[in-house]
Amino acid sequence: MNATLYEIFKIFFIIGIQLLGGGYVIVPLLQKYIVEDRKWLTEEELIDYYAMSQCIPGIIAGNIAILSGYKARKIPGAIAAITGIVMPSFFSILLLAHVLMNIVDYPVIQNAFWGIRISVIILILITIKDMWKKSVNSKFTYFVFFFILVSLFILPVSPAIIIVFSAILALIHSKITGGKTNG
Amino acid sequence: MVKVYFLLAYEFLKIGVFALGGGYAALPFLFYMQTKYDWFTVEELTNMIAVSNITPGPIGINMATYTGYTTAGIIGSIIATTAIVFLPFIITIIIIKLFNKFKSCSYVNDIFVGLRPASCALLTSIGIQLLFQSIFYDKIKWSLPFQIDYKALLLFIILIIPFSFMKKNPILVIVAGAFGGILIKMI
C-alpha cells in the first residue's frame, strides 16, 4: 500500500509502453500491476475508476492513471502517474518524428505513406462502425447523428460547439423523457 | 512564435475537455485545427494519425505530442501534451474530492446519450471528406466528372474487405497499407 512516488511513476511508465492501439487495453494491465501485484487498488475500485474515467472529460487511460495515482498517494501520486503514462508516448513520438523527417523524401517511403493514408481512412471507418453500434440506437440518437452530420456539410463549425450543443440537446431530452437513458 | 505557443495551449486545452470517447474523438478537432491555422497539411495530419496508431501510449497523447512537435518543435510538443491532460487532471481531482463514491454517473450518462452520436457524426464527416479527397479527386477542388484515383480506389477495396470482418488491429491495417502502397505504386 505504501507506494513511493518513483514506484508509481515507474509502474505507469511501464503500462504506458504497453499501451498500443487505444486506451481500453489499460484495464487488464492495471489489473495485473496495480490490483494483483501491488494491491494499491481493489478490483472493485478498478471497475469504478474505469466507469468514472469514461464520464470525465479527457483521455480514458490518462484519467484512470490520475485516479489510481490519487488513490495511492493523493495529488503527488496523481501527478507521478499521469507523468509516467505520458512519457513513453512523448519520447517515442519525438524519436519517430525525427527519424521520419530524415527519410520522408525517399520515393519508397512516400509510396508507403500514400498507402498508409488509405489505412487511416479504413481505421476511421472501422471506428465509426464501432461507435455507431454502441451509440446510435434510438430515435433521439439517430436524430442527433444525422442532424449533426448534415449540418456539418452545410456549415462546418468547431467540434467544441457541436459537443456543447449536443450535450444541451441531451439534457433537454432527458428532462422531457424523465431521464431514461435509452429514451 | 510565442503566439503559436498560446494558440497551441488553447486548442489542446479545448481538446482535453471536449474530445470524449476514445483517442479518435480528437481527430475532428485536429482537422478543424488544420483548416483554421495552416500549421500542417491534411497529408501531414493523416501521417501523424498513422504514426500515433503504431506508437506506444494512448493515441490522444501521441497525437498531441506529434501535432505540437510539427507545429512548434519540442516546446510545442511539451505544451500540447501538457495542455491535453491539464484540465481533465483538475476535473478528475475535484470530482474525486467532492464525491468519494462516484459510482453511478447517471446525470452524466444522460448527457452521453447525446454526446456519443455527436462524436460519431463528427468522425463520420471527417471519414467522408478524407475518402473523397484521396479517392475521388486530387487536392480540394470539386470537378465533375469526378477524377478517380484508380490506384487509391484499388488499395481501398483490397484493404476494406478483409479488415471490415476482423477485430480492430491498427498496426496490421497500417503495415498492410504501407506494403500495398509500395506495390501498387510500382505498377
Side-chain angles (χ1 to χ4, degrees), chain A residues 3-13 40 73 76-77 80-81 84:
Chain A
T4 65
L5 291 178
Y6 172 70
E7 210 183 348
I8 296 173
F9 172 83
K10 192 182 77 182
I11 291 303
F12 279 95
F13 188 88
W40 294 344
R73 284 288 300 270

Side-chain angles (χ1 to χ4, degrees), chain A residues 16-24 44 48-49 51-52 54-63 66-67 70 75 78-79 82 85-86 88-90 92-94 96-98 100-101 104 108 111-132 134-136 138 140-141 144-145 148-149 152-153 156-160 162-164 166-167 170-171 173-175 179-182, chain B residues 14 16-22 24 27-29 32 43 46-47 49-62 65-66 69 74 77-78 81 84-85 88-89 91-93 95-97 101-103 105 107-131 134-135 149 151-152 155-156 159-160 163-164 168 170-171 173-174 176-178 181-182 184-185:
Chain A
I17 292 173
Q18 294 176 67
L19 282 184
L20 261 174
Y24 302 102
E44 206 185 27
D48 282 357
Y49 286 178
M52 274 175 80
Q54 289 174 309
C55 38
I56 298 172
I59 292 146
I60 294 168
N63 290 345
I66 294 165
L67 288 167
Y70 186 86
I75 290 176
I79 294 172
I82 188 74
I85 209 156
V86 161
S89 277
F90 187 77
S92 50
I93 287 284
L94 285 192
L96 262 172
H98 191 74
L100 280 180
M101 259 181 195
V104 82
V108 180
N111 291 346
F113 269 102
W114 174 83
I116 286 171
R117 281 200 277 280
I118 305 286
S119 301
V120 169
I121 296 173
I122 307 272
L123 286 174
I124 290 177
L125 294 180
I126 295 171
T127 311
I128 293 168
K129 194 184 83 182
D130 292 345
M131 283 169 100
W132 169 279
K134 271 187 252 165
S135 65
V136 186
S138 66
F140 174 68
T141 48
V144 173
F145 179 85
I148 289 174
L149 190 59
L152 277 172
F153 279 101
V157 287
S158 155
I162 301 277
I163 294 294
V164 172
S166 56
L171 272 180
H173 172 258
S174 79
K175 279 272 181 290
K180 279 178 289 172
T181 38
N182 286 320
Chain B
K14 240 177 21 184
V17 179
F18 291 116
L20 298 143
Y24 279 70
L27 299 191
F29 290 83
Y32 186 75
E43 288 190 355
T46 37
N47 290 353
I49 296 168
V51 172
S52 299
N53 265 288
I54 55 170
T55 311
I59 293 171
I61 304 281
N62 291 345
T65 306
Y66 209 158
Y69 182 72
I74 297 213
S77 66
I78 295 171
T81 313
I84 202 170
V85 295
F89 184 88
I91 294 167
T92 305
I93 299 292
I95 286 177
I96 202 166
K97 283 203 169 207
K101 281 262 175 186
F102 185 75
K103 261 186 191 167
C105 31
Y107 223 97
V108 182
N109 274 334
D110 288 343
I111 298 176
F112 266 79
V113 170
L115 286 185
R116 288 202 193 93
S119 240
C120 187
L122 282 167
L123 197 60
T124 306
S125 118
I126 298 298
I128 293 171
Q129 280 174 45
L130 282 181
L131 201 59
S134 56
I135 294 175
D149 183 341
K151 287 182 174 177
L155 183 58
F156 178 77
L159 291 178
I160 192 98
F163 286 115
S164 56
K168 192 176 171 187
I171 297 175
V173 179
I174 284 165
I182 294 169
I184 288 175
K185 283 283 184 178

